[in-house]
Amino acid sequence: MPGRAFMLCQLLLLGLGSQGALPPPCDSRIYCYGELLHQVQMAKLYQDDKQFVDMPLSSTPDRVLQHFRELAARHNHSIPTPLLRAFIQEHFQAAGQELQPWTPEDWKDSPRFLQKISDPKLRIWGEQLHQLWKKLGKKVKPEVLSHPEQFSLLYSEHPFVVPGGCFVEFYYWDSYWVMEELLLSEMPETVKGMLQNFLDLVRLYGHVPNGAHVYSLQRSQHPPPPPPPPLTLMMHSYVAHTNDTAFLRDNIGTLALELDFWTEHRNVSVSSGRKSYVLNHYSVPYGGPRPESYSKDAEVRHLGGAGTLMLCVRPRSPVCCCLVITGDQEALWAELKAGAESGWDFSSRWLVKGPNPNLPSSIRTSKLVPVDLNAFLCQAEELMSDFYSRPGNDLQATKYRNMREQRLAAMKAILWNEKGAWFDYDLENRRKNLEFYPSKLSPLWSGCFSDPGVVDKAPKYLESPAVRECRTFWKPDLDLLVRDPDLFSQSRPAGDFSAWPPCETLSSEEGGSSGALSGPASPHASEGQPPWYWGGVNRGWLLSGAGVPAELGAGSAKMSSLRAEVAPAGSGIESEHYVLSEPALYETEGFGWTNGVVLMLLDRYGDRLSSGTQTAFRVPQCLTTALLLSLLPRLPH
């Protein structure tokens, strides 16, 4: 009887007991769903759930599953932890075994940008970061191609550069930053190979998954500022650097397929007045917990109304492991996946207007139309129109130009507010979310606006009391992003405290790629300072962490860097000044996108930066205000 009860709970947990169940994220009964995955992940054998689902099999999936079923049956489907560990040791290999080190053949000792760095210490630091490309190079072993069923890793024909640390595979949006700085390091052949890997994934799956594993197949990943679906911008950067128009011509159709994924599978209709507009949102309609964060997702309870459930997972109990798993729980898991797809996992941005906005169970990512996603898709459409116009394909060029015009009209009607910014639109409550996030002004970066007057309104919005006093909001000063839900602290997403390199880059850009905001440096910058210097925010970020360790070491995933004048209310931080610090999970020698962004800043401002003594910079009460004000240059008179 206990075994039957456990099996019933398994069916409920997997969503198989409901006709309306969402499909699993992939068809692997080891890496994406099933009793084996559930027992191992809920036993919490590893600090990070990702470790197990990254482990290759030692034999065929059928053989592994057969041995597991026999073991589970002998123990009433409640396998003791020592036996579970022994089973994994026998039937799985250590994560990362399917990859081998690779040194890029086009790496060179002294790329030109290093000579532009005037400060000797910073130049040494730049050289150290440049050396890391050799350490972060990987190549997939041929066994992954010949026996793909034994690996969760997706095969890639060409070598690539990984983020670093526990992230030994490539990630979609991380790779954009890596590739930008590989070009700066004069390594175009490495970039071309990485581009070819992404193009192959689009041909196979219709889009680029957010990571190179089967459990990520149903999620793409749209980054936080700045790039659009990065493949389009990756190609733009590569062609601008190499003038390899033949490569663009051969792959332009694949680029169109990737953009089609977003416009066709992530679209939503929104009405305003008597008109309907089509915009895009994040949505991952697949069930079950995320395999790489399984135990964390399984412990998130859906609370609310008639559909209330309590999820009490007890993997080693022969009695019932849970109460009722309903479509509501499946929907919650789908929303968590959508949050991961957004790249803002997990921010208060996706929790507003939920049943309890202090809890991750209130996440409702797919119910919001994000400003930044649509701004970046708008930019991608502009790039695609340009790509097609080069060989004289006027029909396709016009198609994407018209798509961009339609999106501009929709963004103005649905997302723009005369306060001076664009705001996420709440589909359920049919209103804009007027709280402040850095994404509100992303159309300025992408150049996706038709009225030049918005540039005058944006600074006024940023200087308004509602924004300057953003510490009084539910979210604290920096509401950017974080990768993992276990970093929620005191019912507050750790994403609200994170200073990630891409968002720092947003603050250092002078204007949109279309040139709509080109002009002199920010009026807030002192004479002779770069536009991002105002308030010392980016300089503080660059010099006190990027995180420069004691001897100017390599950067970590995000920086232990920014000092704020006022700690967020209720944050538990007593000091008047606080430093954002990097969770131990991400502390690692070299993190691809951090290295990339630091090299970009050293290239751009290396002739003006000095290592100096690190000091606490006084910045406005809301750091994000400083970052975004530095984005806005003064228009020519």
Side-chain angles (χ1 to χ4, degrees):
M1 181 67 180
R4 292 181 63 189
F6 182 89
M7 290 304 296
L8 174 60
C9 289
Q10 284 289 332
L11 291 173
L12 290 170
L13 181 62
L14 297 173
L16 301 178
S18 167
Q19 291 183 349
L22 295 171
C26 81
D27 58 7
S28 170
R29 295 186 65 88
I30 294 175
Y31 294 119
C32 285
Y33 72 105
E35 185 183 355
L36 192 161
L37 176 67
H38 175 70
Q39 286 221 32
V40 172
Q41 297 292 51
M42 296 312 299
K44 300 184 179 180
L45 303 179
Y46 306 102
Q47 180 182 0
D48 186 355
D49 287 350
K50 186 180 185 299
Q51 183 172 341
F52 171 66
V53 291
D54 286 358
M55 296 171 70
L57 303 179
S58 298
S59 58
T60 66
D62 287 344
R63 181 174 297 180
V64 172
L65 287 169
Q66 178 60 35
H67 282 269
F68 178 79
R69 283 192 290 266
E70 293 169 359
L71 180 64
R74 290 197 297 269
H75 296 277
N76 285 328
H77 298 275
S78 181
I79 303 171
T81 297
L83 294 181
L84 201 55
R85 290 186 186 276
F87 175 84
I88 293 173
Q89 187 172 1
E90 179 181 356
H91 294 284
F92 290 82
Q93 302 174 40
Q97 295 296 307
E98 67 276 43
L99 293 165
Q100 59 190 34
W102 170 75
T103 300
E105 295 177 0
D106 54 353
W107 188 89
K108 57 178 63 177
D109 283 319
S110 185
R112 288 184 297 272
F113 82 91
L114 289 174
Q115 308 311 313
K116 297 164 57 177
I117 304 172
S118 58
D119 185 284
K121 289 185 178 180
L122 290 179
R123 190 184 309 117
I124 292 172
W125 185 34
E127 291 170 353
Q128 291 175 348
L129 294 176
H130 177 65
Q131 287 281 341
L132 287 174
W133 297 136
K134 294 189 290 184
K135 292 186 178 182
L136 298 175
K138 300 291 180 182
K139 185 176 182 179
V140 180
K141 292 180 179 179
E143 300 92 285
V144 180
L145 178 62
S146 56
H147 299 288
E149 71 282 357
Q150 293 183 211
F151 301 88
S152 69
L153 186 74
L154 302 173
Y155 179 73
S156 297
E157 179 180 354
H158 304 277
F160 47 86
V161 174
V162 301
C166 64
F167 303 103
V168 297
E169 71 276 36
F170 62 74
Y171 279 82
Y172 190 18
W173 55 305
D174 302 61
S175 294
Y176 166 75
W177 306 100
V178 170
M179 291 162 72
E180 280 287 292
E181 304 326 312
L182 288 172
L183 290 172
L184 182 63
S185 295
E186 301 172 34
M187 299 168 63
E189 288 305 309
T190 298
V191 170
K192 186 175 183 178
M194 294 175 69
L195 265 172
Q196 288 173 315
N197 289 335
F198 287 131
L199 292 163
D200 288 343
L201 288 171
V202 174
R203 294 185 188 102
L204 281 171
Y205 305 112
H207 67 284
V208 181
N210 80 312
H213 283 278
V214 294
Y215 52 76
S216 299
L217 275 176
Q218 303 307 331
R219 290 175 253 154
S220 188
Q221 191 171 50
H222 198 293
L231 189 57
T232 310
L233 199 59
M234 288 173 182
M235 179 66 81
H236 174 73
S237 296
Y238 170 75
V239 173
H241 186 88
T242 64
N243 199 33
D244 190 354
T245 54
F247 186 66
L248 170 61
R249 182 186 63 245
D250 293 343
N251 293 286
I252 192 169
T254 306
L255 295 175
L257 281 177
E258 204 252 352
L259 188 53
D260 288 345
F261 167 82
W262 287 95
T263 57
E264 294 177 7
H265 299 287
R266 298 292 189 264
N267 60 39
V268 62
S269 178
V270 187
S271 297
S272 177
R274 296 185 178 182
K275 291 195 67 175
S276 291
Y277 300 91
V278 176
L279 288 165
N280 294 88
H281 67 150
Y282 300 110
S283 176
V284 184
Y286 289 84
R290 291 170 298 150
E292 77 278 19
S293 298
Y294 192 100
S295 64
K296 304 171 187 67
D297 286 7
E299 290 167 353
V300 175
R301 295 167 173 80
H302 180 279
L303 304 172
T308 298
L309 64 86
M310 296 296 289
L311 179 61
C312 306
V313 181
R314 298 171 61 192
R316 290 180 291 279
S317 171
V319 193
C320 195
C321 65
C322 53
L323 296 180
V324 181
I325 305 298
T326 69
D328 288 337
Q329 185 68 33
E330 289 279 18
L332 171 58
W333 286 328
E335 293 293 347
L336 289 170
K337 293 184 185 71
E341 181 177 65
S342 77
W344 287 63
D345 48 325
F346 292 94
S347 163
S348 60
R349 183 182 178 191
W350 309 133
L351 306 178
V352 292
K353 304 300 181 184
N356 187 338
N358 291 335
L359 296 176
S361 57
S362 291
I363 189 168
R364 46 197 300 274
T365 315
S366 71
K367 306 303 188 295
L368 297 163
V369 178
V371 170
D372 46 355
L373 172 60
N374 285 279
F376 305 149
L377 288 171
C378 172
Q379 186 183 32
E381 289 157 353
E382 182 178 33
L383 287 173
M384 287 300 297
S385 178
D386 174 64
F387 290 164
Y388 273 114
S389 67
R390 296 185 187 198
N393 190 334
D394 293 336
L395 182 64
Q396 289 296 315
T398 300
K399 169 189 169 182
Y400 284 100
R401 188 161 52 249
N402 290 339
M403 288 172 65
R404 180 179 183 273
E405 291 300 321
Q406 292 168 8
R407 189 178 301 277
L408 283 173
M411 291 173 64
K412 182 176 181 180
I414 304 300
L415 306 179
W416 171 253
N417 186 285
E418 288 301 320
K419 289 178 179 288
W422 294 260
F423 296 87
D424 296 343
Y425 184 80
D426 189 324
L427 293 166
E428 287 186 331
N429 296 300
R430 302 184 67 180
R431 65 181 63 179
K432 295 178 180 70
N433 171 20
L434 297 181
E435 291 198 13
F436 176 74
Y437 303 92
S439 57
K440 302 310 181 193
L441 296 177
S442 53
L444 294 176
W445 183 89
S446 63
C448 286
F449 57 92
S450 53
D451 178 9
V454 303
V455 180
D456 295 324
K457 296 177 181 178
K460 296 176 183 177
Y461 164 70
L462 288 174
E463 293 168 348
S464 66
V467 175
R468 293 184 63 83
E469 297 294 331
C470 66
R471 74 185 194 279
T472 63
F473 289 0
W474 178 87
K475 61 191 179 309
D477 289 311
L478 281 172
D479 198 313
L480 304 182
L481 64 159
V482 77
R483 196 178 287 275
D484 223 285
D486 65 329
L487 298 176
F488 278 87
S489 175
Q490 298 181 356
S491 301
R492 189 184 305 263
D496 287 356
F497 295 99
S498 306
W500 290 74
C503 293
E504 292 293 327
T505 307
L506 172 67
S507 72
S508 73
E509 294 290 341
E510 288 190 334
S513 61
S514 65
L517 293 181
S518 59
S522 168
H524 303 283
S526 300
E527 184 178 356
Q529 295 172 344
W532 48 270
Y533 191 92
W534 178 67
V537 174
N538 285 74
R539 183 176 185 275
W541 178 85
L542 181 64
L543 298 182
S544 63
V548 184
E551 296 301 324
L552 291 175
S556 58
K558 64 177 179 288
M559 302 307 122
S560 307
S561 56
L562 293 176
R563 292 178 179 268
E565 186 175 357
V566 180
S571 67
I573 302 168
E574 296 179 0
S575 173
E576 207 173 40
H577 289 81
Y578 69 97
V579 179
L580 303 177
S581 59
E582 168 67 12
L585 179 63
Y586 301 113
E587 287 177 354
T588 174
E589 181 190 25
F591 203 87
W593 72 351
T594 300
N595 299 336
V597 170
V598 170
L599 290 177
M600 180 272 288
L601 291 173
L602 289 175
D603 172 61
R604 188 175 296 176
Y605 304 115
D607 60 336
R608 284 167 278 178
L609 284 173
S610 62
S611 50
T613 302
Q614 298 177 28
T615 58
F617 298 99
R618 294 185 65 81
V619 298
Q621 292 171 339
C622 181
L623 281 173
T624 313
T625 303
L627 297 179
L628 288 173
L629 277 171
S630 66
L631 170 68
L632 302 175
R634 184 190 296 124
L635 290 177
H637 293 293

